[in-house]
Amino acid sequence: MIGLKCKNFEICEKLVEDNKKSSLCQLCRSAMGRRSKRKGNANELRFSKYLNEQFQVYGLDYIAKRTPRSGGIQEFEPADIMFRLTPPASIFSQIHFENKNCAVWDIRGWMEDAITKEKNTGRNRKPILIIRRPSEREEYAVLRMEDLVELLISLDAYKTSKDEFKQPN
């Protein structure tokens, strides 16, 4: 936010005094917030659509949805993606997805926020960040090393205990 100049200063002539060190009026600050919210919503919808497509490929009846941020839903579901029809033993019941669509990445801060949200709800799911830069197609999944190792070991144990692993159709 530092270094941004208000485009409407001649119209409003009153900058927001909120300790964010930005020279924006209320009109520009509000427009910036709406654009950021729409960008985040679109990113979350894109990811939930991708998950649903993959669930269909593997013959799973799970449903991924973007968590609405209105009302009280975010109080009991702090993750950006919520799941329906997933059994309690499903790995998706144990993951907290955070979607980020930012030019500047703050992986440590985002991860700490996700962990804090999970601790506050008492669920303590493992956070996974799905991050991308605006206007780029490539997306990345970021998780803590110990969570990755645990995931890989549990997947390996499952695959080696089964004679046959269901492949995509």
Side-chain angles (χ1 to χ4, degrees):
M1 296 284 273
I2 297 173
L4 294 176
K5 299 292 179 195
C6 180
K7 295 177 184 174
N8 299 311
F9 186 70
E10 294 79 27
I11 299 169
C12 67
E13 297 183 8
K14 184 177 180 193
L15 301 179
V16 176
E17 296 294 332
D18 60 0
N19 297 325
K20 292 195 180 197
K21 298 180 183 174
S22 63
S23 54
L24 295 177
C25 68
Q26 188 63 41
L27 183 63
C28 287
R29 173 70 55 78
S30 179
M32 180 183 291
R34 285 191 306 271
R35 281 193 303 271
S36 179
K37 182 178 179 184
R38 281 194 305 265
K39 183 177 69 167
N41 290 350
N43 192 40
E44 292 164 5
L45 287 170
R46 181 178 37 253
F47 182 63
S48 65
K49 182 179 176 184
Y50 173 77
L51 281 174
N52 287 325
E53 289 168 357
Q54 294 304 306
F55 292 155
Q56 285 182 345
V57 167
Y58 284 89
L60 298 170
D61 293 331
Y62 305 167
I63 298 172
K65 296 182 83 168
R66 181 189 157 273
T67 304
R69 294 292 169 219
S70 61
I73 292 177
Q74 70 268 17
E75 297 301 321
F76 69 87
E77 179 50 78
D80 290 339
I81 304 297
M82 53 193 268
F83 296 95
R84 290 186 31 218
L85 307 176
T86 54
S90 168
I91 189 72
F92 292 100
S93 299
Q94 301 166 23
I95 293 176
H96 173 112
F97 283 108
E98 280 288 323
N99 292 71
K100 300 297 179 184
N101 187 6
C102 298
V104 178
W105 291 359
D106 179 17
I107 293 171
R108 178 176 285 152
W110 295 333
M111 191 65 74
E112 288 172 358
D113 287 346
I115 291 167
T116 300
K117 287 178 188 177
E118 284 301 312
K119 284 182 181 175
N120 289 342
T121 60
R123 295 177 79 177
N124 295 316
R125 295 177 296 183
K126 304 202 180 320
I128 296 180
L129 305 175
I130 306 297
I131 56 178
R132 68 190 295 266
R133 295 194 194 282
S135 305
E136 290 186 11
R137 295 184 54 112
E138 196 74 26
E139 296 186 60
Y140 301 93
V142 177
L143 64 157
R144 295 179 299 188
M145 181 186 65
E146 58 267 18
D147 294 339
L148 173 64
V149 170
E150 181 182 330
L151 179 65
L152 292 173
I153 289 172
S154 64
L155 179 61
D156 188 61
Y158 173 78
K159 287 182 79 171
T160 56
S161 70
K162 296 289 183 182
D163 295 331
E164 172 181 290
F165 180 70
K166 185 174 183 177
Q167 296 296 319
N169 298 334

